[in-house]
Amino acid sequence: MNKKNGKYLTTGEFAKLCKVNKQTLFYYDQIGLLSPVLKNEKGYRYYSIRQIELYFVIDLLKDLGMSLNDIQQYMQNKSPESFLSLMYQKKVEIVKKRQEIEMKEKIIEAKIALMEEASHLNFHQVILEQLPEATLYLSRNIENITDEEFVEVVSDFINELNVSQLDTGYPIGVITKREQVLKEEFTNYSYLYIEQPNPKEGYPYFKSVKGDFLSGYHIGDEKTIHKTYKRLFSEMDRLNLALGDYVFEEYIYDTIVMNHKEHYVTKIMIQVDQIES
């Protein structure tokens, strides 16, 4: 073996080309994952330039979450067929991870947009606005259920958002039907919901009614929300409006951005109809 002919690399040279420390190469040699092609009588180790690609593949598999033990198992049973199968498997995993990252990016973009919009809102203002039709993904019905059942419904709803990738970054809201509101049962909600700007096929959705809504903001927790509803009902009377079929509530500021419940902000959107004179 003639080191000077340029066919072999010292451990330091090989480590530098691979951008790794020598201790990693010593460990790989120790466990039989990647060993020098030559070791002389003085204990010097030499690698072939052909082993660089092998190191890069090991490093790639590590980055993709494959354990050193699993990589060793592959290395002990190498073949073109097993390598191709492994690459196809890793490609599928990468595609899935990319989809998950893209979904998380959309969630973050939605939260940024909502928070920036919230920073310009006047929480003491009550407005009559026309809201467009929106597609909502609903939980199962939660009217008149116990606290234990409510926790179960919330858990199932959150789980479905994650499993089916239906989390859009929009706040989870609640729908209350007209009959509950008339009885002043403001927290006897009918459904949880999350808006779906780009609905996926194959899921049951609720189309919120396009139309007029009287919207205002409640500051504080749900224990005092009846006071805000009273203020909104007074404004409805002043504007000669009648209560529609549904009321929607969404957190604007909640535990994510506020430490104390008295600083929470909930947007209340009451579907309304004009009362004919």
Side-chain angles (χ1 to χ4, degrees):
M1 186 274 291
N2 182 3
K3 166 68 178 67
K4 293 182 180 179
N5 64 16
K7 292 182 179 179
Y8 299 99
L9 303 164
T10 66
T11 301
E13 290 167 340
F14 190 78
K16 186 175 181 181
L17 284 173
C18 295
K19 295 181 174 58
V20 66
N21 60 56
K22 290 194 293 185
Q23 284 69 31
T24 298
L25 295 179
F26 292 149
Y27 180 65
Y28 285 0
D29 181 23
Q30 181 183 338
I31 64 175
L33 185 60
L34 175 61
S35 297
V37 291
L38 291 170
K39 296 179 185 177
N40 67 15
E41 61 281 0
K42 293 182 179 180
Y44 291 116
R45 304 152 178 262
Y46 296 97
Y47 292 84
S48 166
I49 195 169
R50 294 177 180 272
Q51 290 180 290
I52 294 175
E53 183 63 24
L54 177 58
Y55 173 81
F56 286 156
V57 169
I58 292 171
D59 199 47
L60 171 65
L61 295 175
K62 273 181 59 186
D63 282 347
L64 295 176
M66 199 167 173
S67 69
L68 289 179
N69 184 59
D70 288 341
I71 297 172
Q72 280 180 298
Q73 293 297 318
Y74 164 73
M75 293 299 175
Q76 292 168 5
N77 300 280
K78 286 185 286 190
S79 71
E81 292 78 16
S82 61
F83 180 73
L84 187 60
S85 175
L86 181 60
M87 290 298 100
Y88 274 124
Q89 176 190 335
K90 293 304 173 185
K91 182 180 179 181
V92 169
E93 292 175 8
I94 286 174
V95 169
K96 183 179 179 181
K97 286 181 180 178
R98 183 171 66 243
Q99 291 172 341
E100 290 173 351
I101 289 172
E102 288 173 351
M103 183 186 75
K104 289 175 182 176
E105 182 183 16
K106 289 179 181 177
I107 289 173
I108 289 172
E109 287 175 348
K111 290 187 180 300
I112 288 172
L114 290 167
M115 200 54 54
E116 288 182 342
E117 179 185 356
S119 67
H120 298 100
L121 295 175
N122 179 356
F123 296 139
H124 301 286
Q125 185 179 30
V126 176
I127 60 170
L128 181 61
E129 59 182 343
Q130 187 170 78
L131 298 180
E133 181 181 79
T135 301
L136 310 177
Y137 179 72
L138 302 186
S139 70
R140 63 179 186 265
N141 190 282
I142 56 175
E143 293 170 16
N144 303 311
I145 63 174
T146 65
D147 290 344
E148 291 77 12
E149 289 171 327
F150 180 73
V151 171
E152 181 183 341
V153 171
V154 173
S155 177
D156 290 345
F157 185 68
I158 297 298
N159 184 59
E160 185 60 27
L161 294 184
N162 292 329
V163 171
S164 301
Q165 297 185 340
L166 294 170
D167 187 351
T168 57
Y170 283 75
I172 293 175
V174 291
I175 299 175
T176 310
K177 291 181 181 177
R178 184 176 188 272
E179 47 265 39
Q180 268 73 46
V181 176
L182 288 174
K183 291 186 288 187
E184 297 187 0
E185 296 177 356
F186 303 122
T187 59
N188 187 8
Y189 311 122
S190 300
Y191 302 96
L192 306 174
Y193 73 86
I194 187 169
E195 189 173 341
Q196 302 288 303
N198 301 294
K200 297 167 66 175
E201 292 185 6
Y203 294 90
Y205 294 115
F206 174 84
K207 295 283 189 179
S208 68
V209 180
K210 171 184 175 182
D212 292 329
F213 287 79
L214 189 72
S215 299
Y217 301 91
H218 171 66
I219 301 174
D221 65 14
E222 62 183 28
K223 293 178 181 178
T224 57
I225 203 166
H226 62 279
K227 296 179 181 178
T228 301
Y229 270 96
K230 184 176 181 180
R231 180 164 59 92
L232 292 172
F233 290 157
S234 295
E235 185 66 8
M236 284 172 58
D237 290 339
R238 189 183 72 81
L239 296 173
N240 205 32
L241 299 172
L243 178 65
D245 292 330
Y246 301 103
V247 174
F248 300 84
E249 291 183 18
E250 291 179 0
Y251 270 130
I252 303 298
Y253 292 154
D254 59 7
T255 184
I256 295 175
V257 297
M258 292 295 183
N259 288 322
H260 304 289
K261 289 183 177 181
E262 57 266 27
H263 297 143
Y264 289 0
V265 178
T266 305
K267 184 175 183 180
I268 301 172
M269 294 160 280
I270 301 177
Q271 188 179 12
V272 293
D273 299 310
Q274 293 285 345
I275 298 176
E276 296 182 5
S277 304

